[in-house]
């Protein structure tokens, strides 16, 4: 039996300092249900002028459950 997938979409604008914080909190919560569900975190860098994209990119390299969409002007 395959697990159901939970996809969490995280719009991110000027969130450079918060990207890893929300990631850590979500992984902490989601790990408690990992027996029943699989999950993915989808960050959307929405034209953010800071280094939000870089922080998201770092997470993508560390965790294959993290995906991203990078929007630039």
């Amino acid at each position: 039996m395959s697990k159901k997938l939970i996809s969490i979409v995280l719009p991110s604008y000027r969130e450079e300092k918060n990207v890893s914080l929300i990631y850590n909190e979500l992984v902490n919560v989601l790990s408690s249900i990992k027996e029943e569900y699989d999950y993915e975190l989808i960050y959307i860098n929405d034209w953010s002028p800071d280094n939000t994209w870089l922080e998201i990119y770092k997470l993508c390299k560390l965790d294959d459950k993290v995906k991203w969409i990078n929007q630039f002007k």
Side-chain angles (χ1 to χ4, degrees):
M1 183 167 79
S2 64
K3 296 179 188 179
K4 291 184 178 182
L5 176 65
I6 297 173
S7 297
I8 299 175
V9 178
L10 300 150
S12 304
Y13 183 79
R14 293 187 182 202
E15 298 295 335
E16 177 180 358
K17 295 179 181 174
N18 297 317
V19 167
S20 62
L21 294 174
I22 191 68
Y23 167 81
N24 291 331
E25 291 297 322
L26 286 170
V27 168
N28 187 38
V29 170
L30 293 167
S31 66
S32 68
I33 62 169
K34 68 182 177 183
E35 298 300 321
E36 298 174 46
Y37 297 94
D38 202 358
Y39 68 88
E40 65 182 357
L41 304 176
I42 305 168
Y43 284 88
I44 300 175
N45 179 32
D46 197 12
W47 297 355
S48 189
D50 63 1
N51 284 323
T52 297
W53 71 272
L54 181 58
E55 296 304 312
I56 296 169
Y57 179 76
K58 289 177 187 176
L59 288 177
C60 288
K61 291 296 186 184
L62 293 174
D63 186 343
D64 63 350
K65 293 183 181 296
V66 177
K67 314 289 190 262
W68 74 322
I69 298 171
N70 198 20
Q71 299 280 341
F72 285 116
K73 283 186 178 181

